[in-house]
Amino acid sequence: MYNTLLEEIFHAYPMYHKIGTAAYKEGLENIESLLDIVGNPEKKLKAIHIAGTNGKGSVAHLTASYCQERGLKTGLFTSPHLVDFRERIRIDGIMISEEQVLAFFQRFKPEFDKLEPSFFEMTTALAFWFFAEQKVDIAVVETGLGGRLDATNVLRPLISTITNISLEHTQLLGDTIAKIAFEKAGIIKKDTPVVIGEFHPESFPVFTDIAEKNNAPLFLAEDNYTITGDLSDCTILDVTGKTLYEHVELPMQGEYQRKNLCTFLQVADLLDQLMPTEKDVTVAAIRNVVKNTGLMGRWQVLRREPMTICDVGHNAGGLSQTMNQLKAMSCRQLRVVFGMVADKDVEHILPLLPDNAIYYVSQARIERALDGKDLSNHMANHGFQTRVYPSIDEAFRSAQSDASPEDIVFVGGSCFVVGELLETIHQS
């Protein structure tokens, strides 16, 4: 019964991550109406709200892990899911049950259908209802797209967080860093502290201006924390150079996580001021983030021989960081299983890719996917060595078959490419 319902939901409600801009609904009127139907759970939640172009998922999971280690009953709402729809909605790392999803829709779907909500609006209502029903102590909530008009922006959070800004979804959010920053800054609320993860000369003035207008104390994370050493055994310092923590193990080994770690530390510090605790659980929260929250797809090592890594970075900002790390790794031959969605700027992204790799090109099973043959043609024009496969699974199997133990196999380009691979691994 649950699987039948899920198929109905996937087909009945427009999903941005599958069909793109046609599924995007601007404005908060719909989500406000949905939440009225389910009893306005958003008004009952203490929340930490997180937006940004890249890193918001990692910061959300680190923050949730921290809250869990503190003994708080913690809701976590993220998107998209990689394998199971229920990944989006967790309490203390445990996914919402099939029975709870079923009960929600049996109760509210007839009223919802009159409003013709988007998939994300409907999912947001489900998450907030579930968190309120289960009486969570705190909810960590990631925006879906943008901020100002995002369905999650009905919250009045304890802390607002914006990880970083780069050009993405320009057709919806604006074609400059400043315009996108304005949309993300919509989550800044009156008299509510806001954490900014990274300084950018075009976005930071937007944030400071809106924060000042809202009397919102603003904290720039990279001004207050520094991470040194290898991420498997790093040291955390404050801005004066004083060592705060030594021998900290971060399971997510992507170098880009240094910035996310700083952002999380600033959020945790503010949370401790708002909800004081005698326990310092920072190191445990970082070390146990995967175990506590079920985080997947962030520089995730799937195999050691050959070294096999997947990462959900998919825009120019995210891919530039993962590709730079990949280029710095030594191996006999780099093999990349690669796919993209059609609404990304291919010509902008291809120069970021390593030119010494063999590319196993395909497409995810979604309408937004860029056809593997078309992507291969683009790549060939840039001089890349490509092979085209009908599915992600076949591309991955071929890369693994071709690889020697001294090779590296990387899977990425789209969260849907990574999700399909993880789903295949999960089922086998």
Side-chain angles (χ1 to χ4, degrees):
M1 194 170 182
Y2 169 78
N3 290 332
T4 302
L5 171 71
L6 207 59
E7 282 299 311
E8 183 181 344
I9 291 168
F10 285 168
H11 286 97
Y13 300 110
M15 300 172 68
Y16 179 86
H17 81 269
K18 286 199 170 185
I19 66 174
T21 55
Y24 180 66
K25 291 206 171 186
E26 189 174 278
L28 300 179
E29 295 82 5
N30 237 30
I31 185 63
E32 288 170 348
S33 297
L34 293 176
L35 291 169
D36 283 343
I37 292 170
V38 302
N40 295 113
E42 77 284 4
K43 296 179 180 178
K44 304 170 188 175
L45 299 177
K46 292 180 179 178
I48 296 172
H49 200 193
I50 303 173
T53 304
N54 294 298
K56 60 183 181 290
S58 294
V59 172
H61 283 81
L62 283 163
T63 302
S65 180
Y66 183 77
C67 294
Q68 289 172 231
E69 291 286 349
R70 281 192 47 176
L72 299 172
K73 188 174 185 179
T74 305
L76 176 61
F77 179 48
T78 59
S79 61
H81 61 274
L82 293 178
V83 178
D84 189 324
F85 164 75
R86 298 176 300 129
E87 292 167 31
R88 295 168 179 253
I89 304 169
R90 299 175 184 263
I91 293 179
D92 291 342
I94 299 171
M95 295 187 294
I96 185 172
S97 72
E98 294 181 359
E99 291 75 19
Q100 286 157 329
V101 174
L102 198 58
F104 176 81
F105 283 105
Q106 286 176 332
R107 181 174 172 185
F108 297 116
K109 189 174 180 296
E111 288 296 307
F112 279 12
D113 287 349
K114 297 174 186 176
L115 296 168
E116 299 183 348
S118 71
F119 177 85
F120 187 74
E121 288 171 334
M122 173 274 301
T123 308
T124 300
L126 168 60
F128 291 179
W129 171 84
F130 180 57
F131 294 157
E133 286 284 305
Q134 297 298 312
K135 296 182 171 59
V136 299
D137 297 314
I138 196 160
V140 180
V141 176
E142 175 190 347
T143 60
L145 192 155
R148 183 174 65 92
L149 300 175
D150 187 75
T152 62
N153 204 30
V154 294
L155 291 168
R156 291 294 178 265
L158 298 175
I159 303 167
S160 302
T161 305
I162 303 171
T163 56
N164 58 40
I165 302 294
S166 62
L167 292 174
E168 188 186 29
H169 303 303
T170 53
Q171 70 275 37
L172 298 174
L173 302 180
D175 56 2
T176 68
I177 294 292
K179 288 178 182 177
I180 295 174
F182 176 78
E183 294 299 323
K184 306 284 187 185
I187 72 165
I188 297 174
K189 301 298 191 302
K190 192 171 288 294
D191 303 317
T192 301
V194 55
V195 174
I196 306 300
E198 299 174 36
F199 176 84
H200 189 288
E202 293 178 57
S203 63
F204 197 66
V206 177
F207 297 145
T208 54
D209 180 58
I210 293 176
E212 286 174 9
K213 289 176 179 175
N214 285 279
N215 194 38
L218 185 147
F219 301 84
L220 180 59
E222 67 177 25
D223 270 0
N224 297 320
Y225 298 95
T226 304
I227 314 296
T228 63
D230 188 281
L231 287 178
S232 62
D233 186 13
C234 64
T235 299
I236 298 172
L237 306 94
D238 68 14
V239 71
T240 67
K242 176 186 175 184
T243 298
L244 300 177
Y245 305 101
E246 289 184 292
H247 305 300
V248 181
E249 179 189 352
L250 179 65
M252 303 121 67
Q253 294 296 297
E255 280 296 307
Y256 59 86
Q257 295 293 359
R258 293 180 190 275
K259 296 176 181 179
N260 295 332
L261 199 51
C262 289
T263 307
F264 151 71
L265 291 165
Q266 185 69 75
V267 173
D269 180 58
L270 286 173
L271 182 62
D272 286 349
Q273 295 176 41
L274 295 168
M275 300 173 66
T277 179
E278 295 181 1
K279 294 194 300 180
D280 189 341
V281 298
T282 304
V283 174
I286 296 168
R287 182 178 61 244
N288 296 330
V289 60
V290 173
K291 182 177 74 174
N292 284 345
T293 67
L295 179 68
M296 296 186 292
R298 275 72 171 185
W299 205 261
Q300 183 176 348
V301 176
L302 303 173
R303 196 170 295 173
R304 294 287 175 181
E305 285 192 359
M307 175 61 73
T308 303
I309 301 161
C310 67
D311 192 278
V312 294
H314 56 277
N315 53 43
L319 279 170
S320 65
Q321 296 180 70
T322 56
M323 292 301 110
N324 285 340
Q325 184 167 352
L326 203 55
K327 291 172 186 176
M329 299 175 71
S330 59
C331 65
R332 190 188 71 89
Q333 176 63 61
L334 175 60
R335 303 177 186 276
V336 178
V337 178
F338 195 68
M340 292 179 62
V341 292
D343 51 12
K344 293 291 185 254
D345 185 351
V346 178
E347 295 302 317
H348 192 194
I349 284 174
L350 292 185
L352 304 174
L353 305 181
D355 56 15
N356 62 340
I358 299 172
Y359 288 85
Y360 299 71
V361 179
S362 189
Q363 65 283 316
R365 296 187 303 269
I366 60 168
E367 290 180 44
R368 280 177 70 202
L370 177 60
D371 181 78
K373 292 179 182 177
D374 291 342
L375 177 55
S376 178
N377 290 336
H378 280 290
M379 297 181 74
N381 291 337
H382 283 259
F384 290 106
Q385 182 180 348
T386 65
R387 304 171 185 174
V388 183
Y389 296 85
S391 71
I392 300 300
D393 181 45
E394 289 175 76
F396 179 69
R397 289 176 184 273
S398 183
Q400 289 286 306
S401 176
D402 293 345
S404 73
E406 297 80 27
D407 290 354
I408 291 176
V409 176
F410 178 85
V411 182
S414 162
C415 54
F416 310 110
V417 169
V418 173
E420 269 190 38
L421 173 65
L422 292 175
E423 183 177 10
T424 300
I425 292 172
H426 179 74
Q427 290 172 347
S428 61

